[in-house]
């Protein structure tokens, strides 16, 4: 089977190393083996209030991170979701197939709406737009972090339901969730996902943090009372989280890291971890700065949208025909 990948990172906050571990580092690896579509889901970001200028800035930034991290735009399409209207059109068709009950069970919706007086209806239907993103490109594989698993399950259900009701139209996609890096937790609390919404600034490392800030944040990271550098999520979640971050950034298996630090204290390990992260991020930051405000980025995004549109409209047309909508 021809393998195809689609994935994206929302431009809703400054990118932290969680998004790198769960998503971006994977994108870079898969580009060689798959036909890839990497997009910036800007329409997903506006399901919660955004400052328009900041949204535009962050949208460019995410696209620039894709390239700076090593995605080759001559091989993979890089584009903005809002530049390909087929996403919202297919989302509408799929909404007619999704039930209110199944959308209400989405844990991310429950978390994001919890305690809020009012949330947008788009926040509720968001997972259907995500399904449309994926199904439009007939993606066989979708690299994501652990927190997107339920959305992927919904996408699979919608694809199967549609195919069953209207005939084979969509590929049913598989999530690609890596063992290591798919759930990077906060540096202050290994039970909570690393997230920019945490008010404790030392709980996350941003992709654009300067080296000294990165060093300080890792120096402050919580560890465990038992002092061996060993990965065991049940009894040593804080150190296990740090080892996984090391593994992602050094591109080394956990066992090699455990062996290297056998008999060493946490101090040396945390210092080295900071250097491993700095070594990886500094070149990405340099490339990012070169590209983020460039005309070259505009051109890449325009070309990407063209390539994406061709594929997307082909699928959209088939879905419309299958449902009995008249197309010419
Ligand atoms: P988003 O923008 O919240 O996150 C982007 C990707 O990064 C992963 N991620 C993490 N992985 C490990 N540890 C963390 N702490 C961490 N934080 C974030 C996420 O799992 C995700 O893979 N709905 C999606 C965006 C989206 C999408 C799509 C993704 C829209 N349409 C189609 C794939 C395919 C989201 O909000 O991810």
């Amino acid at each position: 089977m021809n393998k195809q990948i689609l994935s994206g990172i929302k431009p809703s906050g400054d990118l932290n190393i969680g998004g790198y571990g769960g998503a971006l580092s994977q994108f870079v690896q898969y580009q060689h083996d798959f036909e890839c579509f990497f997009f910036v889901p800007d329409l997903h970001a506006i399901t919660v209030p955004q400052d328009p200028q900041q949204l535009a800035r962050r949208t460019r930034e995410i696209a620039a991170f894709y390239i700076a991290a090593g995605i080759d735009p001559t091989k993979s399409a890089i584009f903005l979701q809002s530049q390909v209207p087929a996403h919202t059109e297919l989302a509408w068709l799929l909404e007619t197939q999704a039930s209110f009950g199944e959308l209400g069970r989405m844990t991310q919706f429950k978390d994001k709406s919890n305690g809020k007086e009012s949330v947008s209806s788009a926040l509720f239907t968001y997972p259907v737009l995500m399904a449309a993103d994926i199904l439009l490109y007939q993606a066989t594989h979708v690299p994501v972090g652990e927190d997107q698993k339920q959305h992927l399950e919904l996408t699979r259900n919608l694809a199967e339901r549609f195919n069953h009701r209207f005939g084979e139209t969509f590929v049913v996609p598989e999530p690609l969730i890596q063992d290591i890096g798919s759930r990077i937790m906060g540096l202050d609390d290994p039970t909570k996902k690393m997230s920019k919404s945490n008010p404790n600034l030392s709980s996350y490392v941003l992709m654009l943090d300067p080296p000294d800030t990165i060093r300080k944040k890792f120096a402050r990271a919580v560890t465990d009372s038992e002092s061996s550098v060993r990965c065991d999520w049940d009894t040593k979640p804080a150190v296990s989280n740090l080892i996984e971050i090391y593994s992602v950034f050094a591109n080394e298996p956990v066992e090699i890291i455990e062996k290297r630090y056998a008999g060493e204290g946490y101090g040396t390990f945390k210092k080295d971890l900071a250097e491993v992260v700095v070594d990886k991020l500094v070149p990405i930051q340099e490339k990012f700065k070169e590209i983020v405000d460039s005309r070259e980025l505009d051109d890449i995004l325009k070309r990407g949208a063209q390539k994406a549109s061709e594929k997307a409209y082909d699928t959209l047309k088939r879905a419309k025909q299958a449902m009995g909508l008249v197309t010419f």
Side-chain angles (χ1 to χ4, degrees), residues 107-323:
T107 51
Q108 279 213 343
F109 173 73
K110 288 195 218 164
D111 291 348
K112 287 190 176 171
S113 56
N114 192 16
K116 298 246 166 68
E117 216 164 84
S118 163
V119 292
S120 72
S121 52
L123 188 68
F124 186 69
T125 54
Y126 170 123
V128 186
L129 178 59
M130 178 160 165
D133 300 335
I134 297 167
L135 300 181
L136 271 181
Y137 300 92
Q138 306 287 9
T140 55
H141 296 84
V142 184
V144 282
E146 184 81 31
D147 62 346
Q148 297 299 318
K149 209 170 169 178
Q150 198 188 24
H151 290 160
L152 254 295
E153 203 45 53
L154 176 81
T155 304
R156 290 172 56 84
N157 289 341
L158 288 176
E160 277 164 2
R161 195 175 304 156
F162 191 103
N163 288 347
H164 181 71
R165 286 186 184 157
F166 303 109
E168 255 345 276
T169 307
F170 298 121
V171 169
V172 181
E174 298 282 342
L176 280 176
I177 300 176
Q178 282 189 330
D179 288 345
I180 302 295
S182 66
R183 44 174 207 147
I184 290 185
M185 312 309 270
L187 299 183
D188 60 338
D189 177 357
T191 64
K192 293 210 184 86
K193 184 177 92 164
M194 182 179 283
S195 160
K196 177 79 200 306
S197 53
N198 189 327
N200 177 358
L201 304 185
S202 290
S203 70
Y204 51 79
V205 173
L206 297 177
M207 292 293 286
L208 289 180
D209 271 345
D212 276 343
T213 308
I214 297 174
R215 292 186 183 106
K216 272 189 209 130
K217 287 183 177 177
F218 280 115
R220 279 191 207 128
V222 295
T223 46
D224 308 283
S225 48
E226 189 241 23
S227 69
S228 63
V229 179
R230 202 163 41 79
C231 196
D232 180 344
W233 277 98
D234 292 332
T235 58
K236 297 166 66 66
V239 170
S240 303
N241 187 39
L242 297 181
I243 296 176
E244 287 211 7
I245 296 173
Y246 193 123
S247 171
V248 168
F249 280 83
N251 207 3
E252 282 183 329
V254 164
E255 303 77 57
I256 302 258
I257 299 162
E258 286 175 332
K259 262 196 201 137
R260 182 172 306 140
Y261 292 97
E264 294 277 4
Y266 290 147
T268 314
F269 169 67
K270 289 207 291 185
K271 261 199 193 122
D272 288 1
L273 166 60
E275 294 316 314
V276 162
V277 174
V278 165
D279 285 352
K280 188 69 161 198
L281 288 189
V282 165
I284 294 179
Q285 293 175 351
E286 280 165 7
K287 177 87 187 148
F288 170 93
K289 282 177 197 141
E290 265 169 43
I291 194 145
V292 69
D293 293 314
S294 68
R295 285 276 294 279
E296 189 192 343
L297 182 62
D298 301 353
D299 292 341
I300 289 170
L301 293 174
K302 276 186 209 154
R303 278 202 305 277
Q306 263 165 14
K307 184 173 171 194
S309 294
E310 280 169 27
K311 180 114 191 167
Y313 277 103
D314 187 53
T315 309
L316 178 65
K317 190 170 179 191
R318 294 210 290 133
K320 281 175 148 178
Q321 283 169 343
M323 291 181 95

Side-chain angles (χ1 to χ4, degrees), residues 80-123:
L80 308 181
Q81 184 183 31
S82 60
Q83 298 284 318
V84 183
H87 287 247
T88 40
E89 212 175 334
L90 183 62
W92 179 258
L93 304 188
L94 294 176
E95 270 182 48
T96 66
Q97 304 305 308
S99 78
F100 191 83
E102 67 189 336
L103 296 186
R105 285 193 291 278
M106 294 291 118
T107 51
Q108 279 213 343
F109 173 73
K110 288 195 218 164
D111 291 348
K112 287 190 176 171
S113 56
N114 192 16
K116 298 246 166 68
E117 216 164 84
S118 163
V119 292
S120 72
S121 52
L123 188 68

